[in-house]
C-alpha cells in the first residue's frame, strides 16, 4: 500500500490551486444523521420565529394596540397587581411609565402628569412634584404587529 492509498482525503497537486479536497471514501451514516439533525434544528428555529409573529418574549408585556393611544394624549392602562402603565404620546413621542394604581387615572398636566383624586403630580420625567408621591418609573417600549409592549422588569 502506498501512502496515497492510506489517506481518506488528499489534495492533489493539480487541484491545489482550486483547493479541491478529494475524498477517497464515503462519509457514512453518522455524517448524514448529523447533517439532518442540524437542518432540523434550523427549521424548528425558523418555525418558532414565524409563529411568534415578531412579538417579543419575556419579560416584555403587551399593553394594548398602539391605536388605543392617540397622538397628543396621556392614558393609563392597568397591569397585574397594583401597578399601571402611563402612556404619554405628547410631543410626537412615545414614552411609558410604570407607577402605582389609584382610584382615578393619571392625566396630562402641562408638560407633566397629575392624579387629581390623590393630589399627586409629576414632572415630564416622572419625578414627583408633590410630597409623599411615589415616582413614575420610565420603562422601555417596543412596537410589534401594531401592539405596544413594555418591559416592567426594567422598572425594578
Amino acid at each position: 500500500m502506498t501512502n496515497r492509498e492510506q489517506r481518506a482525503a488528499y489534495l492533489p497537486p493539480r487541484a491545489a490551486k482550486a483547493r479541491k479536497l478529494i475524498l477517497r471514501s464515503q462519509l457514512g451514516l453518522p455524517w448524514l444523521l448529523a447533517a439532518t439533525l442540524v437542518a432540523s434544528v434550523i427549521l424548528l428555529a425558523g418555525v418558532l420565529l414565524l409563529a411568534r409573529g415578531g412579538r417579543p418574549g419575556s419579560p416584555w408585556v403587551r399593553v394594548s394596540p398602539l391605536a388605543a393611544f392617540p397622538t397628543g394624549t396621556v392614558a393609563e392602562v392597568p397591569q397585574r397587581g397594583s401597578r399601571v402603565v402611563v402612556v404619554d404620546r405628547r410631543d410626537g413621542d412615545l414614552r411609558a411609565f410604570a407607577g402605582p394604581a389609584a382610584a382615578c387615572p393619571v392625566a396630562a398636566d402641562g408638560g407633566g402628569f397629575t392624579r387629581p383624586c390623590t393630589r399627586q403630580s409629576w414632572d415630564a420625567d416622572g419625578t414627583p412634584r408633590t410630597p409623599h408621591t411615589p415616582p413614575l418609573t420610565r420603562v422601555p417600549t417596543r412596537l410589534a404587529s401594531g401592539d405596544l409592549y413594555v418591559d416592567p422588569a426594567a422598572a425594578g
Side-chain angles (χ1 to χ4, degrees):
M1 241 188 241
T2 66
N3 192 19
R4 188 178 270 179
E5 291 173 1
Q6 292 173 354
R7 292 181 282 181
Y10 71 98
L11 189 62
R14 288 190 306 181
K17 199 177 229 183
R19 292 287 183 210
K20 289 183 183 176
L21 187 64
I22 307 298
L23 297 175
R24 301 202 53 84
S25 66
Q26 293 184 355
L27 293 177
L29 185 61
W31 282 92
L32 177 64
L33 292 176
T36 303
L37 178 67
V38 169
S40 299
V41 167
I42 292 171
L43 180 64
L44 179 64
V47 167
L48 289 176
L49 183 64
L50 290 175
R52 279 196 338 182
R55 292 182 296 275
S58 182
W60 295 92
V61 176
R62 182 183 177 275
V63 176
S64 191
L66 186 61
F69 309 109
T71 303
T73 62
V74 172
E76 178 180 294
V77 180
Q79 294 293 301
R80 284 190 217 140
S82 60
R83 304 291 290 172
V84 295
V85 172
V86 178
V87 179
D88 184 3
R89 297 271 330 252
R90 296 176 291 178
D91 302 327
D93 197 11
L94 173 64
R95 299 180 306 149
F97 298 87
C104 63
V106 172
D109 179 21
F113 308 98
T114 187
R115 184 176 273 149
C117 66
T118 59
R119 295 192 175 125
Q120 296 174 326
S121 67
W122 298 268
D123 289 336
D125 63 353
T127 305
R129 290 190 281 200
T130 53
H132 308 295
T133 301
L136 294 177
T137 307
R138 186 153 183 192
V139 291
T141 60
R142 182 179 283 181
L143 297 174
S145 302
D147 292 335
L148 174 64
Y149 290 82
V150 296
D151 180 4

